[in-house]
Amino acid sequence: MLNLTRSGLNEPVLSTPYYVYILACNDGTHYVGCTSNLEDRLKRHSNGWVPATKSRLPIKIEMFLVFGDKYQAYSFEKYLKSGSGRAFSNRHLILSK
C-alpha cells in the first residue's frame, strides 16, 4: 500500500518498493527471492555472493513483481516457495525451460 502524503505536507511519498523475483539457474532450476534493492541483489547473485545460487551460476532473471508493502512481498515469496506456489508458477508464469 502506498503512503500518499507526508505528515503535515501534501507532497506525494512512495513507500519503499519490494521485489519478488525468480531467477533461472544454470542447472535448470529456479530460485525465488525477495528484496528491496533488486539491482544490488542481482549483482550479489551474479558475483557468487549468495550461497543458494553460488554453485548454479550463471543466473538469468526470469521475472519480478513489485510490491508497495514489505509483508505482502515476503508473503508472496513464501507462497511461491510452497508446493501450491510452485504449481502456480508452473501453470501461470512464463519461465524458460
Side-chain angles (χ1 to χ4, degrees):
M1 179 163 280
L2 298 176
N3 177 7
L4 298 177
T5 60
R6 291 183 190 180
S7 179
L9 303 174
N10 288 330
E11 299 174 27
V13 176
L14 300 177
S15 61
T16 301
Y18 283 83
Y19 304 88
V20 175
Y21 60 95
I22 300 176
L23 303 177
C25 300
N26 191 42
D27 64 358
T29 62
H30 288 94
Y31 175 87
V32 177
C34 188
T35 184
S36 62
N37 187 334
L38 186 59
E39 185 178 343
D40 179 64
R41 189 64 173 159
L42 293 175
K43 179 180 171 183
R44 294 174 56 77
H45 279 289
S46 295
N47 288 330
W49 300 339
V50 179
T53 56
K54 183 177 181 176
S55 64
R56 301 189 278 166
L57 295 175
I59 52 98
K60 181 181 109 178
I61 188 153
E62 289 287 313
M63 67 165 298
F64 66 90
L65 299 165
V66 183
F67 291 82
D69 181 81
K70 173 182 177 177
Y71 300 102
Q72 286 179 336
Y74 280 99
S75 177
F76 191 66
E77 176 201 21
K78 184 176 179 179
Y79 168 70
L80 288 178
K81 290 180 175 182
S82 72
S84 60
R86 283 190 297 275
F88 171 84
S89 294
N90 293 334
R91 278 192 317 274
H92 299 290
L93 304 179
I94 301 170
L95 303 175
S96 64
K97 302 285 178 185

